[in-house]
Amino acid sequence: MEFNAIDTLWIIMAAILVFFMQAGFGMVEAGLVRTKNTANVLMKNVLDFCFAVLAYFIFGYAIMYGSEGAFAGTSGWFMMGITESPVEGVPVEAFWFFQAVFAGAAATIVAGAVAERMKFVAYLAYSFVISAVIYPVVGHWVWGGGWLADLNFHDFAGSTVVHAVGGVAALMGAIRLGPRIGRFNKDGSPNVISGHNLPLVMLGVFILWFGWFGFNAGSTLGFGDPVSVSRIIMNTALAPSTGAIFAMAIAWIKYGKPDLSLALNGALAGLVGITAPCAVVGGVDALIIGAVAGILVIYGNIWLNAWRVDDPVGAVPVHAINGIWGTLAVGLFGKASLGAPLDGLFYGGGFEQLGIQALGTTASLLFVAVTMWIVFKVIDMIIGMRVSRETELRGLDLDEHGQESYSGFQIFTTE
């Protein structure tokens, strides 16, 4: 078999960019928690990637790409017997690496939503399960020849497969754990628990944005169509820009000040929103998709507060809500001339593709919600999910890891 060096290099370099996004997730989450929990959330970001890669090697790839059954693959455990990549001219090891870093991205989304109160060992157990089974099943349905692929469900780079899967898992974890001490008053009104380092958050967002060019453009799985790659790059620059602008504007109107953390989450929301349609929409469409994402992330936070769901970093509004939005956007703005299965509603295609998109994301996320609720329930029964009140007040850095992130600084452990 002859290999295409350009396509192989493209996939490997894109995968390295996605791998670097792990540092971005870590910086965002570390900056948005309190000093006493920084090492804990960083440790979770390191180890969830390690467990994700291990789980995806042993089980995940086989379930996702091992065969073309409707529900899941059934061959290739430990990558045994897998000699060919689904992408012609690309070694299977390069394709595996690209898919493995996506699995790691899906797993790490949850860390922020369960921050400051989830046991480290419980988080490790979750990380292995989602990467070994739950993410690969949805991935098989969409990208591995499963039943959604047969329906022409379109999720180019993973608004549903990666981001909404991780976001719904995050929602299940946050609900199962309950809010942090002091997050809500008895009447249900929320209290702000501020993170400790906004410069770190800004750095993390730009690392994520940088890596997202590989996330989206790398999903072409080759460099044979430079026009498509260039369009994806353009859209990946446009959507987060309007996402940040509109999130800032809505926050400014509602709260009287332009909030940095909300604007940064608006940029991430725009990135998530453009992930599914990035290859099949034009620049103006990308601007609109990003703007809607920026609005949704603000109101998503308001909705979570109304339901008393504590999400310290906004993972659910960014990834779950905007993962759904990005998937539906294919059915609204997609163009068959650019590679969409059908024209979207706004381009004369009617409701057919929109209906397929709605069915696919609903089925996928119902599967994730049910299975992750069961997983968290079992973990809670066996080893417990939440740290003690004393540990939460002292901080997870000291009690779970025996170390401080900021040695020599005064750390308040009662708030």
Side-chain angles (χ1 to χ4, degrees), residues 116-163:
E116 303 200 307
R117 62 208 192 277
M118 186 173 184
K119 288 182 178 178
F120 180 64
V121 66
Y123 184 81
L124 296 184
Y126 140 80
S127 299
F128 190 89
V129 174
I130 193 173
S131 305
V133 181
I134 294 168
Y135 166 78
V137 167
V138 177
H140 179 82
W141 292 357
V142 179
W143 295 335
W147 68 278
L148 286 177
D150 291 339
L151 291 177
N152 286 325
F153 176 80
H154 185 87
D155 184 3
F156 187 78
S159 285
T160 284
V161 175
V162 178
H163 296 284

Side-chain angles (χ1 to χ4, degrees), residues 34-200:
R34 290 166 288 183
T35 51
K36 62 184 179 180
N37 298 308
T38 308
N40 178 262
V41 78
L42 290 173
M43 190 74 168
K44 286 171 179 172
N45 272 270
V46 173
L47 269 296
D48 64 22
F49 182 82
C50 298
F51 273 81
V53 168
L54 182 64
Y56 195 76
F57 178 78
I58 298 172
F59 301 110
Y61 187 90
I63 292 171
M64 198 159 167
Y65 292 104
S67 64
E68 293 189 357
F71 185 77
T74 56
S75 62
W77 315 109
F78 288 88
M79 296 293 290
M80 292 181 180
I82 303 292
T83 59
E84 293 187 7
S85 163
V87 181
E88 186 177 355
V90 173
V92 67
E93 293 85 357
F95 181 75
W96 174 87
F97 177 49
F98 187 78
Q99 298 300 328
V101 292
F102 271 54
T108 204
I109 289 167
V110 175
V114 300
E116 303 200 307
R117 62 208 192 277
M118 186 173 184
K119 288 182 178 178
F120 180 64
V121 66
Y123 184 81
L124 296 184
Y126 140 80
S127 299
F128 190 89
V129 174
I130 193 173
S131 305
V133 181
I134 294 168
Y135 166 78
V137 167
V138 177
H140 179 82
W141 292 357
V142 179
W143 295 335
W147 68 278
L148 286 177
D150 291 339
L151 291 177
N152 286 325
F153 176 80
H154 185 87
D155 184 3
F156 187 78
S159 285
T160 284
V161 175
V162 178
H163 296 284
V165 165
V168 169
L171 177 61
M172 295 299 102
I175 293 172
R176 183 72 199 169
L177 280 168
R180 290 167 290 173
I181 296 169
R183 180 66 175 89
F184 295 100
N185 298 312
K186 290 183 179 180
D187 63 0
S189 58
N191 296 310
V192 175
I193 301 178
S194 298
H196 80 283
N197 194 325
L198 283 176
L200 209 58

